[in-house]
Amino acid sequence: MKTTKAGNREQGTANNAAQVVTTIAPVGALEKQQQIPYGNDKQNGGNSGAKLTLAEVRAKLSPQRAELAGGPKLEGQSGKRFWKDLDELAETPGFHEMLGREFPRQASEWVDAVSRRGFLKVMGASLALAGLAGCTKQPDEPIFPYVKAPEDLILGKPMYFASAFPFPTGAIPVLVKSDAFRPIKVDGNPDHPMAKGKSDAMTQATLLDLYDPDRSKEVLYRGQRGEFADFQEAFTKAVKASKDGTGVYFLSETITSPTLAAQWKQVQTKFPQAKLVQWDPVNRDAAMAASKAAFGSYMDAQYKLENADVILSLDADFLGGIAQPGFLPLAAAYAERHRYYANDPSKTMNRMYVVETMPTVTGFKAEHRLAVKPSELQSVASLIADHIAKGARRPDAITGDNSPDSPFRFATEVAIDLQNAKGRVVVIPGEQTSPAVHAAAYAINAAIGAVGKTVIYTETVNPLPSEQVADLKALVADMNAGKVEWLVMLGANPMYAAPVDLEFAAAFEKVANTVHLGSHVDETGAVSVWHINKAHYLESWSDARAYDGTISIIQPMIAPMYGGHSAHEVLQSLLDAPQASAYDAVQANAKTYLKGDFATAWRKALHDGWVEGTAFTAKAGGAAAAPKPATAVLDDRQPVPGGVEVRFLPDPSLYDGRYANVGWLQELPKQVTNLSWDNAALMSFGTMDSMQLAQNDAVEITVNGRKVIAGALMVPGHADGAVTLHLGFGRRAEAGRVGAGVGFNAYLLRTSDAPYITAGTMTRTGDIYDLCVTKVNFTEHRGAFAQQDLNKKEYDTDGLYSLPGHEAMERGIIRYATLDEVKANPNFAHEGGPGALVNKVGYGPEGEAPGHGESFFPDAWRYDHEDVSSSTPQKPVLQNKWGMAIDLNSCIGCNACIVSCYAENNIPVVGREQVKIGRNMQWIRIDTYFEGDLHAPRAHFQPMACQHCENAGCEQVCPVGATVHTPEGLNTMVYNRCVGTRYCSNNCVYKVRKFNFLLYSDFDTESLKFMRNPDVTVRSRGVMEKCSYCVQRIEAAKIEADKENRAVRDGEIVTACQQACPASAITFGNLNDPNSAVSKHKATERDYQALADLNYRPRTSYTAGVINPNPELA
Amino acid sequence: MATKSPLLDPKGVPVVDPMIDPRTGEYAVIAPGHNFKSVTQKIAGIVLTSNTPWGWFGGLAVAGGVATFLIIALTWLFLKGVGIWGVTIPGAWGFAIINFVWWIGIGHAGTLISAILLLFKQTWRNSINRFAEAMTIFAVCCAGLFPLIHVGRPWVSYWLFPYPNTMNVWPQFRSPLAWDVFAVSTYATISVVFWYVGMVPDFGTLRDRATMPLAKYFYGMLSMGWRGSTRHWMRYETASLLLAGISTPLVLSVHTVISFDFAVAAMAGWHTTIFPPYFVAGAIYSGFAMVITLAVPIRKFYHLEDLVTLRHLDNMAKVMLGTGLIVGYGYGMEVFMSWYAASHWEFFMMWNRMFGPMGWAYWLLILTNLAIPLTTLWSRKLRVNALFLFLLSFVINTGMWFERFVIVVTSLYRDYLPSSWGTYRATKWDYMTFVGTWGLFTFLFLLFVRFLPMIPISEIRGMLPQSKIRKGGADAETVVEETL
């Protein structure tokens, strides 16, 4: 597969932009045809003379549209008529002029006969399709396939292009799978030194963002259809009139593009009074402010977890997703160092401490986690810094409370541990903390010798770093003062997300000319004078820096489906060559960083997806002043009735709300809470108890007189006396059909001076808000009757613990041990002894699968049978025996696999009400179990998809044989044979089968059709579906292998979940090959099967976890 | 029949009751005073009357109205899919399967009465067997509906049948659902044939007594040329015995096969060998309860107390007591085995069934299926109290419905992987479908009582003392009065 991929990419690069653009035009044109309201263009309405707009051209070409709009019905006119019209029209001078304005590039080629024909072909095809909208029969006229296919297109064979997904915390380098020039899958770029082919949930979901049917499809001027050229004209004229750019303000989302920064610098040179404010509701102000204070200039910290034995995270959720800069390399390095190599003593396991308020996957992966109120974080950080500064030593070190769960003790032990591992330690501060926490982290990292080894300080990924909220404040002040003539908003959505105390909406009223460049006509776009539809990153040229500083060139995969524009074009309007495209701008700027022959280097950069030698190098950092310890706050650990600290965090799925209309992310069960389609007031059981709240009670949270109403959800391990609110929900109708009205808008409480932590009150409203949680985490007690097990006292009803989590341990579904225990008993996952939960309880669980021959049932699928038909018996008969191993030590619960599976397997989104009753369709899920006391639990993540059992219960009970076994051991679903008895699901002990209870797949929305993976069926109503081990990928690899007359190589088949997993927790391959990675995983002693005693013989097995706790804190 | 000493009341005075046969001391199967003519007139009169009671029309209208719920619910179901119901993952089976098992179970009493009691020469069955069989058929109609509509793609549910097709695709015979297809279709076929064959002599009677041409034609067609000749009677008796022989194993096999739907699966709470006998006993238990539910109002409405006597009610109550005890034993064994098996899965399942979030269903089941019936049915007084039995029959059928609810739902909603635990909540469409089948059942039954002889005329006549040949010649009471 790899060679093919590379080959395609070579070709793809050779024919980059122009090829893609021309071939894909029908897609965009078709979409436009369906969405644009015709005949209401006020500016040029009815003027058929010299000037034509695109809309009028379309209206002329589309009698059916006119008919729909209420015009006279045209009898007997079909596709032929369009062609005739088009030819006639093409000769009019007005059309030429319109074309010149609309498509400056094509216009120059118009004189060329071949291009003209190509254009007509494209237009004709789109018209033919437009005439057919809503019916599925073929046109009456003969239609023709490609007579001469585009040079690099082999239908049915995907191509791969490198690009990058720009994100405020740094770009994610991606490799985009493109089928017939439609991007159908976004994955990490395997060649990139940072991404290494890994990705995350949001990056995966940008694909659906591209095909979002609610994307803005046109330029709007005062709510009516407008032209980008008209905007350019008006804007340029106004700016030029101001001479020096006075009154021109840009409000941009965080810039990671060097080209955009360069363009801005040119604008500034030309118009020195023009101002640029960068602002994102979730920003890096704390880090920026702290670095400025510590180093004198804005700096980024880059962490090297591969060198860290001990990690302290101060509320940094670096395993949760790309909201924390450097997620991909950090997660990969953490996971690698968290693996346990029984046979390689040189590889030691790392240990992690986390101090946080809201439990995150990072917190639950940590060996030791301290839950503190948001206000206490700084104190704990200072305490640790203070201890280290003094040279903490036991036993005199512990000041204050010495009880096992005391923060004083935690801080001391962490300080001692950090000190002992000198140099091989790192402290990571979270982005949503205060500058003081960052300062404490700088101090500790400096004191323990981490700088230069596990952390380096570099220039910022953002080429124009700033403190965003302060800038926004200044902007609003200028707006109120009437200084702002033009406010050009590049991607930002302040009407929704601006700090509420700034009263942005009121200030907005005072600006005469507001321009909004956005992918949706969102809250801001709807009220702006101009709205310009923004091209998606998969549709436009740009560049961006990743976490490590490497520059990637963003190349479009498809022509803008709705003719969108980019920030580059907006800024370019003010420069000397206003018609230069983003492509020109990027190329011009690339000359500053591409070395050697430009054409070669450019091609190489596009092909590789990154530019060599652009990574940041460490800057010599100034010494940071150690902050003063503030212990006073720590003493007050009792929750005040009614009063709570409020913590704002970006949503783990939707970030700041920009992905609210992406169904995959809305439906994704959030990390830790498994909350889907909602945000909630997240709090601890202690808080709930003290406020007499029950789960799903609606609570009113008041901060400075501002109120929101939210559903209360208990999160095991949350700090008492605090409530966490995720941002990004409560979008208004403008957000689109998916995102509108989901959850509540936490921005309504958020002020500019308290962006992440504030104090408020919480009261119960008396109403119920029925939250949508995908997995049970009931807190109910088990009756005394069943309590005589594990380490619980008999008749203990005081302990508060999760019944599912408790059962998961007891049933041996989750198995783990500490480092000491695994050394004492390496086989702890299978037999009793230290660390073993298996067989610990009197009556179960049974633990192991019966051996071959011991089972009552014959082994139907023994792949080690000798081939008796051959004269020289050889075993095994079959070449391939597919299997999967999942390392629970590595799984960080980040959800990337789920979204990857969505994209690969055409999984439908079912909506909130369906998810709430348990009908979500995700083929893979992350089971989260809470072990122990719910005040301070330990959590375990277990990815669960079809286990491809050899004795599969589902197969035996299907009355029509719709689920059957392949000789290679896949448990396959035959969708078109399935009648939908659902018996298979009942008899599936892993409950991984998903049923199309209703018609979940969207067969109507045009844009979604382009997104689908053509190798996977789109399932209709009434059939069962489930993980197939990505059978389409297996078959593709087998076909390649067959063509080359060889066996499938290990690692040649990568399942979608495996491909996305940033922690490389998933291994897939051939179990008949003893040297395959998966065979080696399965050969380890820690490998176990979930529910093995049921004799289903699952092909997926799990590697039991090993943790490395600090004995002093145990 | 052996002569018994007369029944005495507590004071030692012989009880004088016209319903007690003075010769045997037993409750009479049919009240005294009937002769061939009166029996024939009584039963045939209901069918051939030109004055259909208004109550019948009222009942038909109500039942038909309720049955339209079913039509509405099914229409919506076919338009939207099974997602309109409360089924989900993990509870992928819900009301449809519960109702299927419940209705099939109800049918069992009819077959037991018509087949097993015939073979055992329990002549008292003759008064009730016809409408019990009708009940079986209508219950199977309702039951048979559910497997067809509960599948995700009902338009291809014929794929469950082994029919020759060009793709050579057959059902998967290891699946209990495939066995169900055979069990239920065989059962329905045999039941209909047995029912029809049993009615042939009565159709002859009706044909001969009918005055309306249409009725003559209708019953004439159905009677298949029945002339009542000895040859006919001989063949009729043989056919009845043969069909009874075929039906008898079906009484045991159908619910056994249906219990395999559960027993074959690996779910704790389903995977148990006690299911077949316990399902069959439960089926008969609920079936007799349904016969009582039907018999009590019918005998009252059509004044059939002479033909369906307290003796019948008493006997049926005794059968219920017996089968109820077997069911109780089954419940006890389930609990015992969940402890004795030393399996965590079994133990947790039973704990969850009793004390989990749906524990109420289990205790309701114990109350209605065991606690109430098995304490009261020992009393002869209550056994011959028609009103009490009528009410009790509802209690038992509620209990039997909850038994299936407990088995289907509480075994599924908290199974092996705790992450997948969920719950089950039926929707209004579930309820409409279920209630609609009651309407359908009642509707069909009302049509039956109006247009078909609901009590076998010929067999009742055969039970009259007049037809008995006794030692010492004809009895003084015998009235030789030929009635056709």
Side-chain angles (χ1 to χ4, degrees), chain B residues 79-416:
Chain B
L79 287 174
K80 298 296 285 186
V82 286
I84 64 167
W85 292 344
V87 283
T88 177
I89 309 283
W93 282 359
F95 264 40
I97 297 295
I98 298 168
N99 298 340
F100 164 65
V101 180
W102 188 73
W103 276 119
I104 278 278
I106 280 172
H108 273 59
T111 322
L112 180 104
I113 290 167
S114 54
I116 296 185
L117 296 188
L118 176 71
L119 293 182
F120 288 169
K121 298 202 158 70
Q122 294 293 306
T123 46
W124 60 274
R125 70 176 265 285
N126 290 343
S127 300
I128 54 171
N129 81 332
R130 176 69 48 72
F131 68 77
E133 283 174 39
M135 175 195 82
T136 297
I137 287 155
F138 303 144
V140 172
C141 285
C142 294
L145 188 64
F146 283 107
L148 298 181
I149 62 171
H150 113 284
V151 297
R153 303 201 293 164
W155 53 94
V156 292
S157 48
Y158 66 91
W159 287 354
L160 269 74
F161 291 92
Y163 69 100
N165 61 69
T166 51
M167 289 180 292
N168 275 338
V169 185
W170 280 70
Q172 204 270 105
F173 289 109
R174 289 185 304 164
S175 169
L177 290 185
W179 311 340
D180 268 8
V181 169
F182 299 110
V184 175
S185 56
T186 311
Y187 185 49
T189 315
I190 296 292
S191 297
V192 170
V193 170
F194 200 2
W195 186 55
Y196 177 70
V197 168
M199 279 191 290
V200 168
D202 290 357
F203 286 139
T205 306
L206 291 174
R207 172 198 61 201
D208 296 346
R209 292 180 67 90
T211 49
M212 279 172 64
L214 188 65
K216 269 188 191 299
Y217 182 76
F218 177 65
Y219 295 114
M221 289 293 284
L222 289 174
S223 66
M224 300 212 303
W226 177 267
R227 296 189 310 278
S229 73
T230 310
R231 182 172 295 181
H232 283 182
W233 277 110
M234 276 182 65
R235 289 187 179 153
Y236 168 78
E237 291 293 343
T238 312
S240 294
L241 274 176
L242 278 175
L243 284 168
I246 296 172
S247 302
T248 300
L250 283 180
V251 176
L252 302 175
S253 71
V254 175
H255 234 55
T256 298
V257 169
I258 284 165
S259 78
F260 288 161
D261 288 351
F262 305 106
V264 164
M267 293 293 109
W270 283 13
H271 189 66
T272 162
T273 48
I274 203 172
F275 267 13
Y278 144 55
F279 264 57
V280 172
I284 294 164
Y285 191 37
S286 65
F288 270 93
M290 188 55 104
V291 175
I292 287 176
T293 308
L294 298 171
V296 169
I298 284 176
R299 74 196 271 275
K300 185 95 186 155
F301 187 76
Y302 286 109
H303 307 294
L304 296 172
E305 288 94 340
D306 289 354
L307 299 179
V308 182
T309 61
L310 292 177
R311 166 79 182 276
H312 291 105
L313 298 182
D314 186 32
N315 280 358
M316 288 195 280
K318 281 177 186 164
V319 175
M320 291 202 303
L321 181 61
T323 49
L325 285 168
I326 300 174
V327 169
Y329 174 80
Y331 296 164
M333 270 304 121
E334 275 193 315
V335 177
F336 172 74
M337 289 310 292
S338 72
W339 168 75
Y340 185 71
S343 156
H344 181 77
W345 316 124
E346 292 291 325
F347 187 89
F348 181 82
M349 179 280 298
M350 190 47 72
W351 171 83
N352 182 49
R353 190 176 272 187
M354 290 175 165
F355 306 110
M358 289 197 193
W360 58 270
Y362 184 79
W363 297 113
L364 187 65
L365 149 73
I366 296 294
L367 178 75
T368 52
N369 247 6
L370 303 184
I372 298 175
L374 298 190
T375 49
T376 51
L377 283 175
W378 292 98
S379 155
R380 184 185 171 98
K381 261 187 193 155
L382 291 174
R383 282 207 306 271
V384 295
N385 182 331
L387 178 66
F388 172 78
L389 284 181
F390 181 64
L391 296 176
L392 187 72
S393 69
F394 282 96
V395 170
I396 290 174
N397 266 331
T398 309
M400 287 311 295
W401 191 87
F402 271 100
E403 177 191 304
R404 280 66 182 249
F405 177 86
V406 164
I407 290 170
V408 172
V409 172
T410 65
S411 306
L412 283 177
Y413 82 108
R414 280 184 163 188
D415 66 347
Y416 290 100

Side-chain angles (χ1 to χ4, degrees), chain A residues 390-433:
Chain A
K390 286 187 201 146
R393 224 170 289 106
R394 215 173 284 111
D396 53 301
I398 297 169
T399 53
D401 184 6
N402 194 16
S403 62
D405 54 352
S406 133
F408 294 97
R409 175 151 178 185
F410 183 92
T412 312
E413 294 297 347
V414 171
I416 292 170
D417 207 16
L418 290 174
Q419 242 177 357
N420 291 348
K422 230 175 174 89
R424 301 187 59 81
V425 219
V426 69
V427 181
I428 307 178
E431 292 301 319
Q432 281 76 47
T433 57

Side-chain angles (χ1 to χ4, degrees), chain A residues 464-538:
Chain A
L464 305 165
S466 62
E467 284 169 57
Q468 302 189 341
V469 174
D471 288 356
L472 183 70
K473 255 182 175 168
L475 170 66
V476 173
D478 284 355
M479 283 159 77
N480 281 325
K483 290 183 191 166
V484 181
E485 291 294 323
W486 281 82
L487 178 63
V488 183
M489 291 162 289
L490 305 174
N493 185 7
M495 295 300 273
Y496 163 65
V500 65
D501 58 327
L502 297 184
E503 292 179 350
F504 190 86
F508 194 79
E509 299 276 302
K510 301 189 174 107
V511 182
N513 301 294
T514 49
V515 184
H516 176 252
L517 173 75
S519 60
H520 290 72
V521 187
D522 56 18
E523 289 86 342
T524 309
V527 293
S528 299
V529 176
W530 283 95
H531 165 78
I532 300 161
N533 53 334
K534 188 183 173 191
H536 195 263
Y537 82 89
L538 291 170

Side-chain angles (χ1 to χ4, degrees), chain A residues 954 957 981-995 997 1024, chain B residues 88-92 267 412 415:
Chain A
C954 51
V957 298
T981 66
R982 308 185 294 286
Y983 199 176
C984 53
S985 169
N986 286 344
N987 209 28
C988 172
V989 293
Y990 305 98
K991 288 291 172 283
V992 287
R993 298 184 144 257
K994 305 285 171 178
F995 188 67
F997 285 96
M1024 193 59 80
Chain B
T88 177
I89 309 283
M267 293 293 109
L412 283 177
D415 66 347

Side-chain angles (χ1 to χ4, degrees), chain A residues 612-836:
Chain A
E612 222 167 324
T614 48
F616 292 140
T617 47
K619 274 190 173 179
K628 286 229 158 70
T631 49
V633 198
L634 275 174
D635 294 332
D636 174 32
R637 284 176 63 78
Q638 295 305 315
V640 191
V644 285
E645 288 187 16
V646 181
R647 177 94 170 107
F648 300 104
L649 284 178
D651 188 76
S653 301
L654 304 187
Y655 194 55
D656 58 4
R658 63 182 70 192
Y659 299 120
N661 208 41
V662 178
W664 294 346
L665 291 176
Q666 283 278 12
E667 198 148 298
L668 191 61
K670 288 186 213 313
Q671 297 160 3
V672 178
T673 59
N674 285 319
L675 184 63
S676 166
W677 285 102
D678 262 319
N679 58 347
L682 305 166
M683 62 189 87
S684 70
F685 192 86
T687 313
M688 272 196 169
D689 200 33
S690 69
M691 298 203 171
Q692 300 289 302
L693 291 172
Q695 198 144 303
N696 288 357
D697 272 352
V699 291
E700 187 176 71
I701 298 162
T702 314
V703 175
N704 291 333
R706 302 184 183 95
K707 292 172 182 175
V708 293
I709 289 178
L713 182 67
M714 196 277 291
V715 188
H718 196 283
D720 286 342
V723 57
T724 299
L725 308 178
H726 280 144
L727 303 167
F729 285 85
R731 293 288 302 271
R732 296 210 311 256
E734 292 90 345
R737 63 190 78 178
V738 174
V742 178
F744 66 91
N745 184 359
Y747 285 119
L748 297 176
L749 297 182
R750 197 169 176 240
T751 55
S752 56
D753 54 340
Y756 298 111
I757 303 163
T758 186
T761 56
M762 182 162 71
T763 49
R764 191 175 152 180
T765 65
D767 294 334
I768 294 291
Y769 185 95
D770 204 1
L771 292 164
C772 177
V773 180
T774 58
K775 290 170 202 98
V776 273
N777 48 10
F778 297 132
T779 55
E780 62 189 24
H781 294 239
R782 294 175 69 175
F785 187 52
Q787 287 234 332
Q788 313 163 22
D789 42 23
L790 270 187
N791 303 321
K792 287 268 160 207
K793 288 187 306 221
E794 203 172 341
Y795 309 121
D796 169 23
T797 51
D798 300 330
L800 177 78
Y801 63 101
S802 150
L803 176 59
H806 181 85
E807 283 294 325
M809 305 307 296
E810 200 167 283
R811 295 172 180 194
I813 293 163
I814 297 288
R815 302 177 192 181
Y816 77 100
T818 65
L819 206 50
D820 291 340
E821 288 167 339
V822 72
K823 278 176 182 153
N825 177 15
N827 197 22
F828 73 94
H830 300 280
E831 51 186 50

